[in-house]
Amino acid sequence: MNIRVRDNAEKDAAKGEGFVAGYLLFLLAAASDAASKEFHAQVRARGLRVPEWRILACLGDEDGQMVTQLAQLALMEQSHLTKIIDQMSRNGLVTRRSDAKDRRRVRVYLTEAGRALGNEIVAAARIHENSIIERLRPGEAAMLKEGLKRINALYRSGAEARPLETPA
Amino acid sequence: MNIRVRDNAEKDAAKGEGFVAGYLLFLLAAASDAASKEFHAQVRARGLRVPEWRILACLGDEDGQMVTQLAQLALMEQSHLTKIIDQMSRNGLVTRRSDAKDRRRVRVYLTEAGRALGNEIVAAARIHENSIIERLRPGEAAMLKEGLKRINALYRSGAEARPLETPA
DNA sequence: GGGAAGAATATGAATTGGCATGTTTTTGGC
DNA sequence: GCCAAAAACATGCCAATTCATATTCTTCCC
């Protein structure tokens, strides 16, 4: 394995690139950053901040999610999500309702306004996504998505325990 | 193009997935987030915060970069970078020196300690990167990197001026 | 060569986000 | 049934980050 690592270092040097330019985590962060920044301008243009848009999108897929669940899906800390839900419910985009079966749980629901706004931005997101995909090579987006899904799968609950070829 | 967008929506529905699970920007953000989080624990274990590590890595590739340049490469705001450089120079990891040719410019250099720490973490990053790549399919990482580089290339200087079909 | 305009960085107020912890409710063993 | 432990959210405080703006220097043009 040390040899493998050294090989990569030598490959970098051979390409005349630095480390960063070929580092997977950098490429991921940079791509996410750049592509998202472009779209986030559209989100803010509709009066939403990015985390709010993420919540609308996630609830649009499945309404009435639990706070903790939703925070994980929307890539933010639970305590942060709680605060954003406060604001969004003040703005009439979502409502809280506690679960009848388990009163610790708080479920978050879209209001009509929230659903409408979410749908609108989802439509814009599809168009934006297509504008990226069109500029890639044919089939490249599909491969990318597959690879990204595989990376994500590495980090789902308990998945780290299953190192290599373990089809579910 | 509207048809294309509708097609994607229908594909989502057919797969029984929501919008988010197949949305490129989500997949990118989630993958970056998950994979980075794992490594960032190692960064913090060495007493660095994430932005500091990024700066060490970037300067390791090319020492003496300008503040603005470096901020862009390290994916952060210029004003934020300035503040981090303050702290890092207090901690003896980098030094500032203003450019002799253009005294508006401030160039940032690694100290010996900074370079040593940077090299150490770069080595850890290579190992971590390999541990991800090993869990993907053969050749998948290379394809992923290629696709990510292409996305990043869409957003390099001047590319933003060409959002859709608006040839400059 | 003297401003005006622009570029590069720094600074400060205001916001956002994260971490540790508190409160309420449920679960599990005895 | 009761108590300890765990789960799910909320809260408060502090650090990280952004936004607007100030400062310093260079360039350009007359």
Side-chain angles (χ1 to χ4, degrees):
Chain A
M1 153 118 69
N2 257 325
I3 292 169
R4 185 83 129 274
V5 171
R6 179 103 60 83
D7 280 352
N8 278 343
E10 281 159 9
K11 231 184 292 171
D12 290 349
K15 281 198 240 163
E17 289 176 349
F19 163 69
V20 170
Y23 177 44
L24 181 58
L25 294 201
F26 167 77
L27 292 172
L28 279 169
S32 176
D33 220 69
S36 296
K37 180 140 45 185
E38 185 176 58
F39 180 62
H40 290 167
Q42 294 188 43
V43 172
R44 277 187 288 270
R46 294 169 207 258
L48 284 187
R49 280 160 301 172
V50 172
E52 294 176 320
W53 143 242
R54 288 189 171 154
I55 290 168
L56 289 187
C58 292
L59 290 179
D61 279 1
E62 185 185 339
D63 203 13
Q65 296 192 63
M66 292 173 39
V67 167
T68 304
Q69 208 180 121
L70 188 55
Q72 185 176 353
L73 192 55
L75 308 175
M76 62 185 86
E77 298 277 317
Q78 174 263 312
S79 75
H80 186 204
L81 184 108
T82 292
K83 289 168 196 173
I84 294 179
I85 293 297
D86 286 346
Q87 304 171 20
M88 290 178 78
S89 78
R90 256 180 257 126
N91 293 337
L93 295 172
V94 301
T95 57
R96 264 189 252 250
R97 204 180 325 154
S98 73
D99 188 307
K101 312 280 186 183
D102 184 341
R103 287 203 315 261
R104 291 172 302 181
R105 297 182 178 174
V106 171
R107 297 193 173 274
V108 185
Y109 296 87
L110 290 171
T111 62
E112 274 316 307
R115 181 175 304 279
L117 185 54
N119 286 340
E120 183 186 325
I121 308 187
V122 165
R126 288 191 199 277
I127 291 173
H128 174 255
E129 181 181 29
N130 271 58
S131 84
I132 294 175
I133 292 175
E134 279 169 5
R135 290 186 285 172
L136 300 179
R137 304 217 164 147
E140 189 164 34
M143 291 197 316
L144 254 174
K145 286 188 179 186
E146 220 194 310
L148 293 171
K149 284 180 185 174
R150 208 177 325 277
I151 290 180
N152 285 324
L154 296 178
Y155 296 99
R156 295 217 192 295
S157 60
E160 293 96 320
R162 225 176 309 154
L164 279 176
E165 44 268 316
T166 313
Chain B
M1 152 122 63
N2 257 324
I3 292 167
R4 184 84 127 274
V5 170
R6 180 100 61 83
D7 279 353
N8 278 343
E10 282 159 8
K11 230 184 294 172
D12 290 349
K15 280 198 240 164
E17 289 175 348
F19 163 69
V20 170
Y23 178 43
L24 180 58
L25 294 200
F26 167 78
L27 292 171
L28 280 168
S32 176
D33 220 69
S36 296
K37 180 141 45 188
E38 185 176 57
F39 180 63
H40 290 166
Q42 295 188 43
V43 171
R44 277 187 288 270
R46 294 170 208 257
L48 284 188
R49 281 158 299 171
V50 171
E52 295 176 320
W53 143 242
R54 289 190 170 153
I55 289 169
L56 290 186
C58 292
L59 290 178
D61 279 0
E62 185 184 338
D63 203 14
Q65 296 192 63
M66 291 173 41
V67 167
T68 303
Q69 208 180 123
L70 188 54
Q72 184 177 353
L73 192 54
L75 309 175
M76 63 186 86
E77 298 277 319
Q78 174 264 313
S79 75
H80 186 205
L81 184 109
T82 291
K83 287 166 194 172
I84 295 179
I85 294 298
D86 286 346
Q87 304 172 19
M88 291 178 77
S89 78
R90 257 180 255 126
N91 293 337
L93 295 172
V94 300
T95 56
R96 264 190 252 249
R97 205 181 322 155
S98 73
D99 188 308
K101 311 281 184 184
D102 184 339
R103 288 204 313 261
R104 291 172 302 183
R105 296 181 177 174
V106 171
R107 297 193 172 274
V108 186
Y109 297 87
L110 290 172
T111 62
E112 275 316 307
R115 181 176 303 280
L117 185 54
N119 286 341
E120 184 185 325
I121 308 186
V122 165
R126 288 191 200 277
I127 291 172
H128 174 257
E129 181 181 29
N130 271 57
S131 84
I132 294 175
I133 292 175
E134 278 168 6
R135 291 186 285 171
L136 300 179
R137 305 218 164 148
E140 189 164 35
M143 291 196 316
L144 254 174
K145 285 188 179 186
E146 221 193 309
L148 293 171
K149 284 180 186 175
R150 208 178 323 278
I151 289 180
N152 285 324
L154 296 179
Y155 295 99
R156 295 220 192 294
S157 59
E160 295 99 318
R162 233 171 304 155
L164 280 174
E165 41 268 315
T166 314

